[in-house]
Amino acid sequence: MKAMGNTRRLMALVTGGAALAAVLVAPGAHAAPPSGSASGGAESRQPAGDAVARGLLPGWQLTDTGTDARFRGLAPVSRTTAWVAGSKGTVLRTGDGGRTWRDVSPPGAADLELRDIEAFDGRRAVALAIGEGEASRVLRTEDGGATWTESFRNTDPRAFFNCLTFFDSRHGLAAGDPVDGKFRVLSTADGGRSWRVLPDTGMPAALPGEAGFAASGQCLVSSGAKDVWLTTGGASTARVLHSRDRGLTWTASASTLPAGDPARGVFAVAFRDRGHGIAVGGDYRPEEASPKAAAVTGDGGRTWRQSTTPPPAYRSGVSWLPYSRSAALAVGPTGTDLTLDGGRTWRTVDSGSYDTVDCTPDLGCWAAGEKGRVARLGF
């Protein structure tokens, strides 16, 4: 009954539009909204003190992970259970909402860069290590991280894998940079126990200099039973590739995000269904501006429209809020941004550094990043 009450409360918040905007950007919410916001009237009608008193003021609540690893891999299962994976082969798991974290790092993995992790529950998870040649590996656990099995090791020195995604507990994909002019994709049909390289006959040719970004575990995402999207950068155009058949055939579409440099492109996408998606990215160099860091689609990624008020800087992770058709969060090294209109306009709501963000159906929104930072969104 408590969970149902929480669900109703969040649904009221995220569908309320202006009401949620008021709560998030009210004074004391650690944010300065852009001038000319359409929700300014609602802001003036919602005192921050009242919101806090009623427990409605959301914000990232940092947890003590006890490590300085950088976590770009994030796999929340629920409000209470989540996995993170990062530098120095570090994997942590919590089962109490982040109050305590257990180090469940694979033995002998200290030299690996774990950039993505997908979890099915508190015991089963699949992690991806990135790098050239044999540095790219897939590891799997079925006992909460007590033991790990290496289920794939890349033996092609030309290959470099970036991201994982699963359609269900058995079927999943891993994607890497182009080999012989086309992006390389792995497939599993047994929950990550075994992998095979998919034929590239249905993959469009990569553009000169095109590659993926292993920045947040969100350069390859799925929605439903068969749809999957792959993001790219580094070329003259930042693209999003889409497959409707679990990676066998793909179509490529140009985005509006910054391109033309190895540091620019689409770093993450999130789809709330087969049609509606958000792309974020930009230029990851701190000294470079990213004036067009977000775009939206309503046709499954065939076409992309630039956000009219994008995030103010590079963003590497994005997630839809639970039970909302219009609210989403984007994160990056310089802050967290909120949209209430499906990605068309954004406003900064937190200045903390995060690399990745994800939400679960039971109201669990998590973010992770540098220096061991892992936080949960609290209401």
Side-chain angles (χ1 to χ4, degrees), residues 130-136 152-161 176-180 184 197:
I130 69 154
E132 297 178 350
E134 294 191 3
S136 284
F152 172 80
R153 180 179 297 205
N154 174 47
T155 58
D156 189 335
R158 304 169 299 169
F160 186 118
F161 288 89
D177 291 339
V179 175
D180 294 328
R184 177 159 290 185
V197 177

Side-chain angles (χ1 to χ4, degrees), residues 8 79 294 314:
R8 287 193 293 268
R79 280 185 58 81
Y314 155 73

Side-chain angles (χ1 to χ4, degrees), residues 1 15 36 44 50 61 71 157 174 206 211 213 224 248-249 268 273 289 307 328 331 353:
M1 297 297 293
T15 58
S44 64
D50 292 347
Q61 299 174 350
F71 295 118
F213 292 110
L248 294 178
T249 60
D273 52 38
S307 297
V331 300
S353 174

Side-chain angles (χ1 to χ4, degrees), residues 147-200:
T147 61
W148 291 84
T149 301
E150 183 181 295
S151 59
F152 172 80
R153 180 179 297 205
N154 174 47
T155 58
D156 189 335
R158 304 169 299 169
F160 186 118
F161 288 89
N162 298 305
C163 289
L164 284 170
T165 192
F166 275 83
F167 304 94
D168 51 46
S169 61
R170 293 187 300 123
H171 300 90
L173 300 177
D177 291 339
V179 175
D180 294 328
K182 294 185 177 181
F183 284 92
R184 177 159 290 185
V185 178
L186 300 175
S187 175
T188 181
D190 54 14
R193 295 180 181 88
S194 63
W195 298 82
R196 68 184 181 95
V197 177
L198 289 181
D200 64 6

Side-chain angles (χ1 to χ4, degrees), residues 88-173:
K88 297 178 286 189
T90 306
V91 179
L92 304 183
R93 177 176 56 83
T94 183
D96 56 14
R99 288 190 295 273
T100 61
W101 289 89
R102 182 179 178 184
D103 188 337
V104 294
S105 304
D111 293 333
L112 298 180
E113 281 288 328
L114 299 175
R115 293 293 182 91
D116 199 358
I117 187 167
E118 301 291 327
F120 309 116
D121 49 42
R123 297 185 62 80
R124 299 176 297 158
V126 179
L128 174 71
I130 69 154
E132 297 178 350
E134 294 191 3
S136 284
R137 308 177 192 181
V138 178
L139 306 171
R140 188 179 189 278
T141 182
E142 294 184 345
D143 53 15
T147 61
W148 291 84
T149 301
E150 183 181 295
S151 59
F152 172 80
R153 180 179 297 205
N154 174 47
T155 58
D156 189 335
R158 304 169 299 169
F160 186 118
F161 288 89
N162 298 305
C163 289
L164 284 170
T165 192
F166 275 83
F167 304 94
D168 51 46
S169 61
R170 293 187 300 123
H171 300 90
L173 300 177

Side-chain angles (χ1 to χ4, degrees), residues 14-15 17 272 278 320 323-328 339-344:
V14 297
T15 58
R272 64 173 172 82
I278 297 172
W320 292 91
Y323 306 106
S324 175
R325 297 177 61 85
S326 58
T339 179
L340 294 169
D341 53 17
R344 291 187 293 276

